[in-house]
Amino acid sequence: YANIGGKKKILTSISDVDVEKNDAAIAAALSAATGSMPYAMEWWDAELLPGKLRKELAGEEGKAIASRAKKKLARKDDEDAAAAGTTASERVRDKMEQHSHLVEKCYRHASLAHSRTHALVQHPVPILTPAQRAAREALKNKPPTLHLTKAERKRHRKLRRAERLREQQDLQAAGVVPPPEPRLTLSNYMKVLGDQAVLDPSRMEAVVMSQIQSRKIKHEKMNEERKLTKEQRSAKHTRKLQEDTSVSVRVALFYVKDMGHPYHRAKVDLNAQQNGITGGVLEC
C-alpha cells in the first residue's frame, strides 16, 4: 500500500505511480514487485533449472528476503532515503527489468533434464490380479455378441411362442396329448360354454367356481413346494455371505481411534459373526 493523495492504494508495478511526484510510491512499487515470494518460481520448480541459473535465482531471492527483513525492522540505509526524482525512477525501472528478465529466463530454461531426482523416481509396472487376468482371458475368448433391437427381440419371442404352440397343437391332433380344458372365469364362461350356460347357468357357474378354486389350490401348492425351510434359508444366507476366494480376495482396513468401550467391542464382534466376516485387530 502507498499513501497517495491522502488515500491508500495497492501498488503492483511502477506504472501505478507518478514517478516524478511521489518517491514513497516508487519504493512501495519496487517492494511489491520484488519483495513477494516466490521471487521468480516455486522452490520445487527451481530443481528444473540449470545449476548456474539456480544459483542466480537463489542469490536474488536471498537479497529480496534480506531487504524485506530490513524494512520490517525499520533499518533503512541513508542512501535509500537520499535517493529521489529521476534517479529513483531509473533505479526502479532497472530493478523491474532485471526481475522480469530473470523470470523469463527461468521459465525458458526449465527442463526435466536438469533435475537430479527425476531419474531416481521409479514407476512400478502395475500387476494384474488373478480376477483381472481371468476377466481379460475371458474377454479374449468370448465370441462376438450380436445385439438385437427391441423390435427384433419382440419378433423373435413371438416366433418362438408360435413354434411351441404349433408343436403342442400337432401333438393334440395326433392324440398323444389330451387337449386342455378351456380356462373358465366368471367373465367369459357365457361365451365359452354357449348353450350349456344358457340352459343351466347355476350348474355352469358352480363348474367355473370349482375350476377357479382348483387353480388357486394348485398355485398355492406350487409355492409351498418351492418354499425353503428354515435350515435351507439359513444355509442360503450363509452361502451368499461366503466369498469365492479361488479367484480373488477382498480385504478392508478400518482405523478406529478408540475401541476401549465394551459395548463397541461387543457390537463389532456380533456384526462380524452375523455377516461372516473374519479378520484381526491390531491395538496400538
Side-chain angles (χ1 to χ4, degrees), residues 38-76:
Y39 186 78
M41 60 170 34
E42 298 287 355
W43 62 269
W44 52 81
D45 293 331
E47 293 293 327
L48 306 178
L49 300 177
K52 186 176 180 181
L53 185 56
R54 194 184 305 152
K55 292 180 180 179
E56 181 182 354
L57 176 62
E60 293 295 332
E61 286 185 350
K63 292 178 183 178
I65 293 173
S67 176
R68 187 170 57 180
K70 287 181 180 180
K71 290 178 181 179
K72 285 184 178 180
L73 297 175
R75 293 182 301 182
K76 295 183 180 180

PDB file of all heavy atoms in Angstrom, residues 38-76:
ATOM      1  N   PRO A  38       6.843 -16.546  -4.118  1.00  0.00           N
ATOM      2  CA  PRO A  38       8.191 -16.805  -4.603  1.00  0.00           C
ATOM      3  C   PRO A  38       8.708 -15.674  -5.484  1.00  0.00           C
ATOM      4  O   PRO A  38       7.924 -14.995  -6.149  1.00  0.00           O
ATOM      5  CB  PRO A  38       8.039 -18.102  -5.400  1.00  0.00           C
ATOM      6  CG  PRO A  38       6.618 -18.090  -5.850  1.00  0.00           C
ATOM      7  CD  PRO A  38       5.851 -17.434  -4.765  1.00  0.00           C
ATOM      8  N   TYR A  39      10.016 -15.512  -5.508  1.00  0.00           N
ATOM      9  CA  TYR A  39      10.615 -14.389  -6.233  1.00  0.00           C
ATOM     10  C   TYR A  39      10.429 -14.551  -7.745  1.00  0.00           C
ATOM     11  O   TYR A  39       9.991 -13.628  -8.422  1.00  0.00           O
ATOM     12  CB  TYR A  39      12.101 -14.303  -5.875  1.00  0.00           C
ATOM     13  CG  TYR A  39      12.794 -13.095  -6.454  1.00  0.00           C
ATOM     14  CD1 TYR A  39      12.629 -11.848  -5.859  1.00  0.00           C
ATOM     15  CD2 TYR A  39      13.593 -13.193  -7.588  1.00  0.00           C
ATOM     16  CE1 TYR A  39      13.253 -10.733  -6.374  1.00  0.00           C
ATOM     17  CE2 TYR A  39      14.212 -12.086  -8.110  1.00  0.00           C
ATOM     18  CZ  TYR A  39      14.045 -10.852  -7.512  1.00  0.00           C
ATOM     19  OH  TYR A  39      14.665  -9.748  -8.035  1.00  0.00           O
ATOM     20  N   ALA A  40      10.732 -15.724  -8.272  1.00  0.00           N
ATOM     21  CA  ALA A  40      10.567 -15.966  -9.708  1.00  0.00           C
ATOM     22  C   ALA A  40       9.764 -17.234  -9.972  1.00  0.00           C
ATOM     23  O   ALA A  40       8.920 -17.269 -10.852  1.00  0.00           O
ATOM     24  CB  ALA A  40      11.928 -16.057 -10.394  1.00  0.00           C
ATOM     25  N   MET A  41      10.011 -18.295  -9.213  1.00  0.00           N
ATOM     26  CA  MET A  41       9.264 -19.541  -9.348  1.00  0.00           C
ATOM     27  C   MET A  41       9.333 -20.303  -8.029  1.00  0.00           C
ATOM     28  O   MET A  41      10.159 -19.988  -7.167  1.00  0.00           O
ATOM     29  CB  MET A  41       9.773 -20.401 -10.505  1.00  0.00           C
ATOM     30  CG  MET A  41      11.213 -20.825 -10.395  1.00  0.00           C
ATOM     31  SD  MET A  41      11.722 -22.088 -11.613  1.00  0.00           S
ATOM     32  CE  MET A  41      10.780 -21.696 -13.038  1.00  0.00           C
ATOM     33  N   GLU A  42       8.474 -21.317  -7.872  1.00  0.00           N
ATOM     34  CA  GLU A  42       8.423 -22.081  -6.634  1.00  0.00           C
ATOM     35  C   GLU A  42       9.700 -22.894  -6.464  1.00  0.00           C
ATOM     36  O   GLU A  42      10.399 -23.203  -7.428  1.00  0.00           O
ATOM     37  CB  GLU A  42       7.207 -23.018  -6.638  1.00  0.00           C
ATOM     38  CG  GLU A  42       5.865 -22.306  -6.721  1.00  0.00           C
ATOM     39  CD  GLU A  42       5.489 -21.607  -5.426  1.00  0.00           C
ATOM     40  OE1 GLU A  42       6.231 -21.764  -4.442  1.00  0.00           O
ATOM     41  OE2 GLU A  42       4.462 -20.914  -5.410  1.00  0.00           O
ATOM     42  N   TRP A  43       9.977 -23.257  -5.181  1.00  0.00           N
ATOM     43  CA  TRP A  43      11.226 -23.968  -4.906  1.00  0.00           C
ATOM     44  C   TRP A  43      11.271 -25.346  -5.550  1.00  0.00           C
ATOM     45  O   TRP A  43      12.322 -25.835  -5.938  1.00  0.00           O
ATOM     46  CB  TRP A  43      11.436 -24.079  -3.391  1.00  0.00           C
ATOM     47  CG  TRP A  43      10.375 -24.861  -2.670  1.00  0.00           C
ATOM     48  CD1 TRP A  43       9.242 -24.386  -2.106  1.00  0.00           C
ATOM     49  CD2 TRP A  43      10.351 -26.282  -2.470  1.00  0.00           C
ATOM     50  NE1 TRP A  43       8.496 -25.397  -1.549  1.00  0.00           N
ATOM     51  CE2 TRP A  43       9.160 -26.583  -1.752  1.00  0.00           C
ATOM     52  CE3 TRP A  43      11.209 -27.323  -2.794  1.00  0.00           C
ATOM     53  CZ2 TRP A  43       8.812 -27.868  -1.387  1.00  0.00           C
ATOM     54  CZ3 TRP A  43      10.861 -28.612  -2.430  1.00  0.00           C
ATOM     55  CH2 TRP A  43       9.673 -28.873  -1.737  1.00  0.00           C
ATOM     56  N   TRP A  44      10.085 -26.016  -5.684  1.00  0.00           N
ATOM     57  CA  TRP A  44      10.108 -27.337  -6.306  1.00  0.00           C
ATOM     58  C   TRP A  44      10.314 -27.247  -7.815  1.00  0.00           C
ATOM     59  O   TRP A  44      10.797 -28.187  -8.431  1.00  0.00           O
ATOM     60  CB  TRP A  44       8.838 -28.102  -5.979  1.00  0.00           C
ATOM     61  CG  TRP A  44       7.556 -27.357  -6.280  1.00  0.00           C
ATOM     62  CD1 TRP A  44       6.944 -27.223  -7.477  1.00  0.00           C
ATOM     63  CD2 TRP A  44       6.752 -26.639  -5.337  1.00  0.00           C
ATOM     64  NE1 TRP A  44       5.806 -26.482  -7.369  1.00  0.00           N
ATOM     65  CE2 TRP A  44       5.650 -26.106  -6.051  1.00  0.00           C
ATOM     66  CE3 TRP A  44       6.846 -26.402  -3.981  1.00  0.00           C
ATOM     67  CZ2 TRP A  44       4.667 -25.342  -5.452  1.00  0.00           C
ATOM     68  CZ3 TRP A  44       5.857 -25.644  -3.387  1.00  0.00           C
ATOM     69  CH2 TRP A  44       4.781 -25.121  -4.109  1.00  0.00           C
ATOM     70  N   ASP A  45       9.943 -26.082  -8.400  1.00  0.00           N
ATOM     71  CA  ASP A  45      10.202 -25.881  -9.829  1.00  0.00           C
ATOM     72  C   ASP A  45      11.639 -25.463 -10.082  1.00  0.00           C
ATOM     73  O   ASP A  45      12.146 -25.619 -11.196  1.00  0.00           O
ATOM     74  CB  ASP A  45       9.247 -24.831 -10.401  1.00  0.00           C
ATOM     75  CG  ASP A  45       7.812 -25.314 -10.412  1.00  0.00           C
ATOM     76  OD1 ASP A  45       7.622 -26.542 -10.516  1.00  0.00           O
ATOM     77  OD2 ASP A  45       6.896 -24.493 -10.323  1.00  0.00           O
ATOM     78  N   ALA A  46      12.304 -24.893  -9.047  1.00  0.00           N
ATOM     79  CA  ALA A  46      13.695 -24.466  -9.219  1.00  0.00           C
ATOM     80  C   ALA A  46      14.623 -25.643  -9.462  1.00  0.00           C
ATOM     81  O   ALA A  46      15.725 -25.468  -9.987  1.00  0.00           O
ATOM     82  CB  ALA A  46      14.146 -23.684  -7.985  1.00  0.00           C
ATOM     83  N   GLU A  47      14.198 -26.877  -9.099  1.00  0.00           N
ATOM     84  CA  GLU A  47      15.024 -28.054  -9.358  1.00  0.00           C
ATOM     85  C   GLU A  47      15.152 -28.352 -10.844  1.00  0.00           C
ATOM     86  O   GLU A  47      16.030 -29.120 -11.249  1.00  0.00           O
ATOM     87  CB  GLU A  47      14.418 -29.266  -8.653  1.00  0.00           C
ATOM     88  CG  GLU A  47      14.450 -29.192  -7.139  1.00  0.00           C
ATOM     89  CD  GLU A  47      15.875 -29.246  -6.608  1.00  0.00           C
ATOM     90  OE1 GLU A  47      16.705 -29.931  -7.239  1.00  0.00           O
ATOM     91  OE2 GLU A  47      16.158 -28.607  -5.590  1.00  0.00           O
ATOM     92  N   LEU A  48      14.294 -27.753 -11.663  1.00  0.00           N
ATOM     93  CA  LEU A  48      14.339 -27.989 -13.109  1.00  0.00           C
ATOM     94  C   LEU A  48      15.250 -27.022 -13.836  1.00  0.00           C
ATOM     95  O   LEU A  48      15.337 -27.065 -15.064  1.00  0.00           O
ATOM     96  CB  LEU A  48      12.921 -27.885 -13.696  1.00  0.00           C
ATOM     97  CG  LEU A  48      11.844 -28.771 -13.053  1.00  0.00           C
ATOM     98  CD1 LEU A  48      10.503 -28.509 -13.707  1.00  0.00           C
ATOM     99  CD2 LEU A  48      12.214 -30.241 -13.159  1.00  0.00           C
ATOM    100  N   LEU A  49      15.932 -26.131 -13.119  1.00  0.00           N
ATOM    101  CA  LEU A  49      16.800 -25.121 -13.732  1.00  0.00           C
ATOM    102  C   LEU A  49      18.237 -25.614 -13.789  1.00  0.00           C
ATOM    103  O   LEU A  49      18.653 -26.460 -12.978  1.00  0.00           O
ATOM    104  CB  LEU A  49      16.732 -23.816 -12.931  1.00  0.00           C
ATOM    105  CG  LEU A  49      15.361 -23.153 -12.818  1.00  0.00           C
ATOM    106  CD1 LEU A  49      15.456 -21.922 -11.935  1.00  0.00           C
ATOM    107  CD2 LEU A  49      14.815 -22.785 -14.192  1.00  0.00           C
ATOM    108  N   PRO A  50      19.033 -25.070 -14.712  1.00  0.00           N
ATOM    109  CA  PRO A  50      20.461 -25.389 -14.709  1.00  0.00           C
ATOM    110  C   PRO A  50      21.126 -24.901 -13.423  1.00  0.00           C
ATOM    111  O   PRO A  50      20.601 -24.022 -12.719  1.00  0.00           O
ATOM    112  CB  PRO A  50      20.999 -24.656 -15.939  1.00  0.00           C
ATOM    113  CG  PRO A  50      19.804 -24.375 -16.783  1.00  0.00           C
ATOM    114  CD  PRO A  50      18.644 -24.236 -15.842  1.00  0.00           C
ATOM    115  N   GLY A  51      22.278 -25.481 -13.093  1.00  0.00           N
ATOM    116  CA  GLY A  51      22.940 -25.151 -11.835  1.00  0.00           C
ATOM    117  C   GLY A  51      23.288 -23.672 -11.709  1.00  0.00           C
ATOM    118  O   GLY A  51      23.082 -23.055 -10.659  1.00  0.00           O
ATOM    119  N   LYS A  52      23.809 -23.070 -12.780  1.00  0.00           N
ATOM    120  CA  LYS A  52      24.201 -21.657 -12.738  1.00  0.00           C
ATOM    121  C   LYS A  52      22.991 -20.754 -12.533  1.00  0.00           C
ATOM    122  O   LYS A  52      23.019 -19.810 -11.721  1.00  0.00           O
ATOM    123  CB  LYS A  52      24.929 -21.302 -14.029  1.00  0.00           C
ATOM    124  CG  LYS A  52      25.511 -19.896 -14.054  1.00  0.00           C
ATOM    125  CD  LYS A  52      26.286 -19.668 -15.339  1.00  0.00           C
ATOM    126  CE  LYS A  52      26.869 -18.254 -15.352  1.00  0.00           C
ATOM    127  NZ  LYS A  52      27.620 -17.993 -16.617  1.00  0.00           N
ATOM    128  N   LEU A  53      21.913 -21.023 -13.254  1.00  0.00           N
ATOM    129  CA  LEU A  53      20.712 -20.222 -13.128  1.00  0.00           C
ATOM    130  C   LEU A  53      20.051 -20.445 -11.762  1.00  0.00           C
ATOM    131  O   LEU A  53      19.468 -19.518 -11.187  1.00  0.00           O
ATOM    132  CB  LEU A  53      19.738 -20.570 -14.253  1.00  0.00           C
ATOM    133  CG  LEU A  53      18.459 -19.733 -14.353  1.00  0.00           C
ATOM    134  CD1 LEU A  53      18.791 -18.263 -14.478  1.00  0.00           C
ATOM    135  CD2 LEU A  53      17.614 -20.193 -15.528  1.00  0.00           C
ATOM    136  N   ARG A  54      20.164 -21.654 -11.227  1.00  0.00           N
ATOM    137  CA  ARG A  54      19.614 -21.922  -9.901  1.00  0.00           C
ATOM    138  C   ARG A  54      20.336 -21.113  -8.824  1.00  0.00           C
ATOM    139  O   ARG A  54      19.722 -20.567  -7.907  1.00  0.00           O
ATOM    140  CB  ARG A  54      19.727 -23.423  -9.609  1.00  0.00           C
ATOM    141  CG  ARG A  54      18.895 -23.892  -8.420  1.00  0.00           C
ATOM    142  CD  ARG A  54      19.154 -25.366  -8.161  1.00  0.00           C
ATOM    143  NE  ARG A  54      18.912 -26.152  -9.364  1.00  0.00           N
ATOM    144  CZ  ARG A  54      19.519 -27.292  -9.632  1.00  0.00           C
ATOM    145  NH1 ARG A  54      20.425 -27.774  -8.791  1.00  0.00           N
ATOM    146  NH2 ARG A  54      19.245 -27.961 -10.732  1.00  0.00           N
ATOM    147  N   LYS A  55      21.655 -21.010  -8.950  1.00  0.00           N
ATOM    148  CA  LYS A  55      22.419 -20.205  -8.001  1.00  0.00           C
ATOM    149  C   LYS A  55      22.071 -18.726  -8.127  1.00  0.00           C
ATOM    150  O   LYS A  55      21.960 -18.003  -7.129  1.00  0.00           O
ATOM    151  CB  LYS A  55      23.914 -20.412  -8.238  1.00  0.00           C
ATOM    152  CG  LYS A  55      24.403 -21.812  -7.890  1.00  0.00           C
ATOM    153  CD  LYS A  55      25.888 -21.943  -8.148  1.00  0.00           C
ATOM    154  CE  LYS A  55      26.381 -23.354  -7.808  1.00  0.00           C
ATOM    155  NZ  LYS A  55      27.840 -23.509  -8.077  1.00  0.00           N
ATOM    156  N   GLU A  56      21.871 -18.271  -9.365  1.00  0.00           N
ATOM    157  CA  GLU A  56      21.491 -16.864  -9.574  1.00  0.00           C
ATOM    158  C   GLU A  56      20.133 -16.568  -8.951  1.00  0.00           C
ATOM    159  O   GLU A  56      19.938 -15.534  -8.293  1.00  0.00           O
ATOM    160  CB  GLU A  56      21.471 -16.558 -11.070  1.00  0.00           C
ATOM    161  CG  GLU A  56      21.115 -15.121 -11.394  1.00  0.00           C
ATOM    162  CD  GLU A  56      21.064 -14.858 -12.886  1.00  0.00           C
ATOM    163  OE1 GLU A  56      21.423 -15.783 -13.666  1.00  0.00           O
ATOM    164  OE2 GLU A  56      20.662 -13.749 -13.270  1.00  0.00           O
ATOM    165  N   LEU A  57      19.187 -17.487  -9.129  1.00  0.00           N
ATOM    166  CA  LEU A  57      17.863 -17.303  -8.548  1.00  0.00           C
ATOM    167  C   LEU A  57      17.925 -17.311  -7.028  1.00  0.00           C
ATOM    168  O   LEU A  57      17.271 -16.505  -6.359  1.00  0.00           O
ATOM    169  CB  LEU A  57      16.934 -18.416  -9.046  1.00  0.00           C
ATOM    170  CG  LEU A  57      15.523 -18.441  -8.462  1.00  0.00           C
ATOM    171  CD1 LEU A  57      14.772 -17.162  -8.803  1.00  0.00           C
ATOM    172  CD2 LEU A  57      14.751 -19.659  -8.961  1.00  0.00           C
ATOM    173  N   ALA A  58      18.737 -18.219  -6.460  1.00  0.00           N
ATOM    174  CA  ALA A  58      18.873 -18.264  -5.008  1.00  0.00           C
ATOM    175  C   ALA A  58      19.475 -16.977  -4.466  1.00  0.00           C
ATOM    176  O   ALA A  58      19.067 -16.470  -3.413  1.00  0.00           O
ATOM    177  CB  ALA A  58      19.728 -19.464  -4.603  1.00  0.00           C
ATOM    178  N   GLY A  59      20.461 -16.412  -5.204  1.00  0.00           N
ATOM    179  CA  GLY A  59      21.050 -15.149  -4.757  1.00  0.00           C
ATOM    180  C   GLY A  59      20.066 -14.001  -4.777  1.00  0.00           C
ATOM    181  O   GLY A  59      19.999 -13.198  -3.833  1.00  0.00           O
ATOM    182  N   GLU A  60      19.256 -13.915  -5.832  1.00  0.00           N
ATOM    183  CA  GLU A  60      18.262 -12.841  -5.922  1.00  0.00           C
ATOM    184  C   GLU A  60      17.191 -13.005  -4.841  1.00  0.00           C
ATOM    185  O   GLU A  60      16.740 -12.018  -4.251  1.00  0.00           O
ATOM    186  CB  GLU A  60      17.623 -12.846  -7.309  1.00  0.00           C
ATOM    187  CG  GLU A  60      18.563 -12.471  -8.441  1.00  0.00           C
ATOM    188  CD  GLU A  60      19.040 -11.026  -8.324  1.00  0.00           C
ATOM    189  OE1 GLU A  60      18.303 -10.201  -7.762  1.00  0.00           O
ATOM    190  OE2 GLU A  60      20.151 -10.740  -8.791  1.00  0.00           O
ATOM    191  N   GLU A  61      16.780 -14.236  -4.574  1.00  0.00           N
ATOM    192  CA  GLU A  61      15.796 -14.455  -3.517  1.00  0.00           C
ATOM    193  C   GLU A  61      16.372 -14.093  -2.153  1.00  0.00           C
ATOM    194  O   GLU A  61      15.676 -13.538  -1.295  1.00  0.00           O
ATOM    195  CB  GLU A  61      15.333 -15.914  -3.528  1.00  0.00           C
ATOM    196  CG  GLU A  61      14.405 -16.254  -4.666  1.00  0.00           C
ATOM    197  CD  GLU A  61      13.863 -17.674  -4.568  1.00  0.00           C
ATOM    198  OE1 GLU A  61      14.375 -18.425  -3.718  1.00  0.00           O
ATOM    199  OE2 GLU A  61      12.947 -18.018  -5.337  1.00  0.00           O
ATOM    200  N   GLY A  62      17.668 -14.397  -1.946  1.00  0.00           N
ATOM    201  CA  GLY A  62      18.302 -14.024  -0.673  1.00  0.00           C
ATOM    202  C   GLY A  62      18.342 -12.535  -0.477  1.00  0.00           C
ATOM    203  O   GLY A  62      18.083 -12.023   0.624  1.00  0.00           O
ATOM    204  N   LYS A  63      18.656 -11.807  -1.560  1.00  0.00           N
ATOM    205  CA  LYS A  63      18.671 -10.341  -1.464  1.00  0.00           C
ATOM    206  C   LYS A  63      17.274  -9.807  -1.152  1.00  0.00           C
ATOM    207  O   LYS A  63      17.117  -8.876  -0.351  1.00  0.00           O
ATOM    208  CB  LYS A  63      19.179  -9.741  -2.775  1.00  0.00           C
ATOM    209  CG  LYS A  63      20.658 -10.023  -3.045  1.00  0.00           C
ATOM    210  CD  LYS A  63      21.063  -9.422  -4.384  1.00  0.00           C
ATOM    211  CE  LYS A  63      22.516  -9.751  -4.707  1.00  0.00           C
ATOM    212  NZ  LYS A  63      22.929  -9.214  -6.024  1.00  0.00           N
ATOM    213  N   ALA A  64      16.245 -10.374  -1.810  1.00  0.00           N
ATOM    214  CA  ALA A  64      14.885  -9.898  -1.580  1.00  0.00           C
ATOM    215  C   ALA A  64      14.443 -10.168  -0.153  1.00  0.00           C
ATOM    216  O   ALA A  64      13.807  -9.329   0.492  1.00  0.00           O
ATOM    217  CB  ALA A  64      13.927 -10.568  -2.574  1.00  0.00           C
ATOM    218  N   ILE A  65      14.794 -11.341   0.370  1.00  0.00           N
ATOM    219  CA  ILE A  65      14.420 -11.675   1.751  1.00  0.00           C
ATOM    220  C   ILE A  65      15.131 -10.772   2.744  1.00  0.00           C
ATOM    221  O   ILE A  65      14.542 -10.292   3.727  1.00  0.00           O
ATOM    222  CB  ILE A  65      14.730 -13.154   2.030  1.00  0.00           C
ATOM    223  CG1 ILE A  65      13.810 -14.049   1.190  1.00  0.00           C
ATOM    224  CG2 ILE A  65      14.560 -13.486   3.509  1.00  0.00           C
ATOM    225  CD1 ILE A  65      14.147 -15.516   1.261  1.00  0.00           C
ATOM    226  N   ALA A  66      16.419 -10.508   2.481  1.00  0.00           N
ATOM    227  CA  ALA A  66      17.167  -9.619   3.377  1.00  0.00           C
ATOM    228  C   ALA A  66      16.611  -8.206   3.346  1.00  0.00           C
ATOM    229  O   ALA A  66      16.485  -7.545   4.385  1.00  0.00           O
ATOM    230  CB  ALA A  66      18.642  -9.628   2.986  1.00  0.00           C
ATOM    231  N   SER A  67      16.253  -7.723   2.156  1.00  0.00           N
ATOM    232  CA  SER A  67      15.683  -6.379   2.045  1.00  0.00           C
ATOM    233  C   SER A  67      14.359  -6.279   2.771  1.00  0.00           C
ATOM    234  O   SER A  67      14.070  -5.290   3.449  1.00  0.00           O
ATOM    235  CB  SER A  67      15.504  -6.034   0.570  1.00  0.00           C
ATOM    236  OG  SER A  67      14.870  -4.790   0.418  1.00  0.00           O
ATOM    237  N   ARG A  68      13.533  -7.310   2.642  1.00  0.00           N
ATOM    238  CA  ARG A  68      12.250  -7.283   3.331  1.00  0.00           C
ATOM    239  C   ARG A  68      12.424  -7.342   4.847  1.00  0.00           C
ATOM    240  O   ARG A  68      11.698  -6.681   5.605  1.00  0.00           O
ATOM    241  CB  ARG A  68      11.400  -8.471   2.864  1.00  0.00           C
ATOM    242  CG  ARG A  68       9.980  -8.466   3.387  1.00  0.00           C
ATOM    243  CD  ARG A  68       9.145  -9.516   2.716  1.00  0.00           C
ATOM    244  NE  ARG A  68       9.710 -10.840   2.875  1.00  0.00           N
ATOM    245  CZ  ARG A  68       9.179 -11.942   2.376  1.00  0.00           C
ATOM    246  NH1 ARG A  68       8.058 -11.859   1.660  1.00  0.00           N
ATOM    247  NH2 ARG A  68       9.746 -13.121   2.553  1.00  0.00           N
ATOM    248  N   ALA A  69      13.409  -8.106   5.314  1.00  0.00           N
ATOM    249  CA  ALA A  69      13.661  -8.177   6.754  1.00  0.00           C
ATOM    250  C   ALA A  69      14.144  -6.836   7.299  1.00  0.00           C
ATOM    251  O   ALA A  69      13.759  -6.410   8.393  1.00  0.00           O
ATOM    252  CB  ALA A  69      14.683  -9.266   7.052  1.00  0.00           C
ATOM    253  N   LYS A  70      14.964  -6.151   6.526  1.00  0.00           N
ATOM    254  CA  LYS A  70      15.441  -4.834   6.958  1.00  0.00           C
ATOM    255  C   LYS A  70      14.292  -3.844   7.070  1.00  0.00           C
ATOM    256  O   LYS A  70      14.230  -3.037   7.993  1.00  0.00           O
ATOM    257  CB  LYS A  70      16.494  -4.309   5.981  1.00  0.00           C
ATOM    258  CG  LYS A  70      17.831  -5.017   6.081  1.00  0.00           C
ATOM    259  CD  LYS A  70      18.823  -4.427   5.103  1.00  0.00           C
ATOM    260  CE  LYS A  70      20.181  -5.136   5.189  1.00  0.00           C
ATOM    261  NZ  LYS A  70      21.148  -4.572   4.229  1.00  0.00           N
ATOM    262  N   LYS A  71      13.358  -3.930   6.124  1.00  0.00           N
ATOM    263  CA  LYS A  71      12.234  -2.985   6.159  1.00  0.00           C
ATOM    264  C   LYS A  71      11.309  -3.293   7.329  1.00  0.00           C
ATOM    265  O   LYS A  71      10.720  -2.381   7.906  1.00  0.00           O
ATOM    266  CB  LYS A  71      11.471  -3.049   4.846  1.00  0.00           C
ATOM    267  CG  LYS A  71      12.266  -2.458   3.684  1.00  0.00           C
ATOM    268  CD  LYS A  71      11.501  -2.579   2.382  1.00  0.00           C
ATOM    269  CE  LYS A  71      12.319  -2.009   1.219  1.00  0.00           C
ATOM    270  NZ  LYS A  71      11.614  -2.121  -0.061  1.00  0.00           N
ATOM    271  N   LYS A  72      11.166  -4.571   7.661  1.00  0.00           N
ATOM    272  CA  LYS A  72      10.340  -4.894   8.815  1.00  0.00           C
ATOM    273  C   LYS A  72      10.930  -4.368  10.108  1.00  0.00           C
ATOM    274  O   LYS A  72      10.227  -3.972  11.027  1.00  0.00           O
ATOM    275  CB  LYS A  72      10.152  -6.414   8.903  1.00  0.00           C
ATOM    276  CG  LYS A  72       9.184  -6.965   7.876  1.00  0.00           C
ATOM    277  CD  LYS A  72       8.968  -8.448   8.092  1.00  0.00           C
ATOM    278  CE  LYS A  72       7.946  -8.990   7.093  1.00  0.00           C
ATOM    279  NZ  LYS A  72       7.723 -10.437   7.274  1.00  0.00           N
ATOM    280  N   LEU A  73      12.263  -4.393  10.182  1.00  0.00           N
ATOM    281  CA  LEU A  73      12.939  -3.888  11.388  1.00  0.00           C
ATOM    282  C   LEU A  73      13.185  -2.385  11.345  1.00  0.00           C
ATOM    283  O   LEU A  73      13.840  -1.829  12.226  1.00  0.00           O
ATOM    284  CB  LEU A  73      14.265  -4.622  11.575  1.00  0.00           C
ATOM    285  CG  LEU A  73      14.167  -6.138  11.823  1.00  0.00           C
ATOM    286  CD1 LEU A  73      15.557  -6.751  11.865  1.00  0.00           C
ATOM    287  CD2 LEU A  73      13.423  -6.417  13.120  1.00  0.00           C
ATOM    288  N   ALA A  74      12.675  -1.737  10.287  1.00  0.00           N
ATOM    289  CA  ALA A  74      12.795  -0.275  10.137  1.00  0.00           C
ATOM    290  C   ALA A  74      14.253   0.163  10.130  1.00  0.00           C
ATOM    291  O   ALA A  74      14.618   1.203  10.689  1.00  0.00           O
ATOM    292  CB  ALA A  74      12.031   0.445  11.244  1.00  0.00           C
ATOM    293  N   ARG A  75      15.122  -0.630   9.441  1.00  0.00           N
ATOM    294  CA  ARG A  75      16.522  -0.267   9.308  1.00  0.00           C
ATOM    295  C   ARG A  75      16.801   0.022   7.845  1.00  0.00           C
ATOM    296  O   ARG A  75      17.110  -0.863   7.063  1.00  0.00           O
ATOM    297  CB  ARG A  75      17.428  -1.391   9.798  1.00  0.00           C
ATOM    298  CG  ARG A  75      17.334  -1.647  11.289  1.00  0.00           C
ATOM    299  CD  ARG A  75      18.277  -2.734  11.740  1.00  0.00           C
ATOM    300  NE  ARG A  75      17.998  -3.990  11.044  1.00  0.00           N
ATOM    301  CZ  ARG A  75      18.659  -5.124  11.280  1.00  0.00           C
ATOM    302  NH1 ARG A  75      19.631  -5.144  12.165  1.00  0.00           N
ATOM    303  NH2 ARG A  75      18.347  -6.220  10.616  1.00  0.00           N
ATOM    304  N   LYS A  76      16.665   1.269   7.453  1.00  0.00           N
ATOM    305  CA  LYS A  76      16.863   1.678   6.068  1.00  0.00           C
ATOM    306  C   LYS A  76      18.204   2.397   5.949  1.00  0.00           C
ATOM    307  O   LYS A  76      18.622   3.134   6.851  1.00  0.00           O
ATOM    308  CB  LYS A  76      15.735   2.613   5.622  1.00  0.00           C
ATOM    309  CG  LYS A  76      14.378   1.938   5.602  1.00  0.00           C
ATOM    310  CD  LYS A  76      13.325   2.876   5.081  1.00  0.00           C
ATOM    311  CE  LYS A  76      11.961   2.191   5.052  1.00  0.00           C
ATOM    312  NZ  LYS A  76      10.913   3.085   4.557  1.00  0.00           N
TER     313      LYS A  76
END
